[in-house]
Amino acid sequence: MTELKAIIFDVDGTLAETERDGHRIAFNRAFSDADLDWNWDEALYGKLLAVTGGKERIRYFLSNFHTDFDYDGDIELLIVSLHANKTKHYVSLLESHAITLRPGVERLINEVRKAGLRISIATTTTPANVTALVKSTLGEQALAWFDCIAAGDIVPAKKPAPDIFDYCLEKIGIPADECLVFEDSANGVLSSCGANIPTVVTSNNYTQDDDFSGAITVLDHLGEVDLPCQVISGQAIAGNYVTVDDLKRIHASAS
Ligand code: XBP
Ligand code: MG
């Protein structure tokens, strides 16, 4: 049986509920700045989350939901420009502390580190967004806690492709079967399982109906002492919130 050595965290939807009140707002502000009458409401954004990556999501929107957009300029330049401005808006939202970590995330990160496990990040989002989220929620010093922050365009193919997790594994030099991933979405689970990494899901409003096949355990969140979490499917946990011992047991059940 392999020993659990490292935890790899997804970011959006896992560390924090960033999509509805963060990324979505930032996209709409960028569209407004460009005098585009595009408004991604909560329902439409939930559909657009089928595609990971902000630039890819704008392309998906144009090709599937706004096919009559008539633009005589270079559409790729427009998308890159919109996304760069969106990222500025999103970072500003984070810096205003508009987004907080999900239940149990800070607690478990501290417990995992205290237990001597390594931690990393593997995310589709833009690196600047990860830096801003970690700084605004855990403090700038926390950036050094992560052995690897694998993010965004660093790999050619985004989730559900396994590339970002493969990249992270290579950087940290720890085999997939000695790691455990926290993810929140079907695309994320396809990606982490594609990299052969045991995976635990904390679902959310946008992903609760996703297909999490391949995940060992699906939870509603990581729980706090005064905020019990629920196991939705898969391996149980001992108490009302996820502990390092739970992670070691869940990881052992996968090997
Ligand atoms: C979620 C994503 C990201 C964000 C938007 O990433 O798919 O694209 O929605 O961020 P993950 P960008 O769940 O892997 O953390 O606009 O910077 O792509
Ligand atoms: Mg996610």
Side-chain angles (χ1 to χ4, degrees):
M1 179 175 69
T2 56
E3 181 190 358
L4 178 61
K5 300 264 185 54
I7 307 295
I8 305 174
F9 292 94
D10 164 54
V11 173
D12 295 304
T14 300
L15 291 184
E17 296 270 25
T18 57
E19 295 292 359
R20 186 191 64 190
D21 300 333
H23 289 297
R24 183 180 67 89
I25 303 299
F27 277 112
N28 287 333
R29 287 179 181 172
F31 301 152
S32 173
D33 288 350
D35 294 324
L36 294 166
D37 65 350
W38 308 346
N39 176 56
W40 290 357
D41 63 21
E42 291 182 35
L44 172 58
Y45 195 67
K47 293 174 184 164
L48 296 175
L49 280 172
V51 171
T52 66
K55 296 188 287 294
E56 296 80 354
R57 191 165 299 142
I58 296 171
R59 288 190 200 102
Y60 178 61
F61 165 68
L62 290 172
S63 56
N64 292 274
F65 297 88
H66 193 25
T67 53
D68 60 351
F69 178 57
D70 184 18
Y71 183 69
D72 56 12
D74 181 327
I75 191 70
E76 282 306 311
L77 285 180
L78 174 65
I79 289 170
V80 168
S81 165
L82 285 171
H83 189 254
N85 192 31
K86 172 264 175 182
T87 299
K88 287 181 187 156
H89 280 295
Y90 180 66
V91 168
S92 296
L93 277 169
L94 292 176
E95 288 172 347
S96 70
H97 299 285
I99 302 283
T100 57
L101 295 179
R102 293 192 69 184
V105 168
E106 183 168 1
R107 172 187 61 76
L108 194 58
I109 284 176
N110 289 332
E111 289 173 13
V112 159
R113 294 184 65 233
K114 195 174 171 187
L117 299 182
R118 315 301 301 169
I119 61 171
S120 285
I121 280 174
T123 175
T124 302
T125 199
T126 303
N129 297 345
V130 183
T131 301
L133 179 69
V134 170
K135 284 171 71 173
S136 67
T137 56
L138 295 169
E140 183 159 12
Q141 82 292 340
L143 288 167
W145 298 351
F146 299 91
D147 294 333
C148 172
I149 296 181
D153 295 331
I154 195 76
V155 289
K158 292 180 177 167
K159 299 174 185 178
D163 299 39
I164 197 72
F165 284 105
D166 287 336
Y167 174 90
C168 185
L169 289 173
E170 184 191 344
K171 288 293 177 190
I172 64 177
I174 299 175
D177 63 0
E178 296 179 11
C179 296
L180 189 73
V181 161
F182 281 109
E183 264 288 355
D184 74 298
S185 67
N187 279 329
V189 171
L190 284 170
S191 180
S192 59
C193 290
N196 299 308
I197 308 173
T199 300
V200 173
V201 169
T202 50
S203 62
N204 54 62
N205 291 339
Y206 270 137
T207 67
Q208 60 190 359
D209 298 325
D210 276 15
D211 176 359
F212 295 124
S213 302
I216 305 167
T217 297
V218 180
L219 302 142
D220 57 353
H221 54 77
L222 294 175
E224 299 284 13
V225 173
D226 57 357
L227 182 68
C229 64
Q230 298 294 325
V231 176
I232 297 164
S233 65
Q235 287 288 322
I237 59 173
N240 294 327
Y241 55 91
V242 177
T243 65
V244 174
D245 285 342
D246 288 318
L247 299 186
K248 290 179 177 176
R249 256 197 312 279
I250 289 170
H251 179 263
S253 74
S255 43

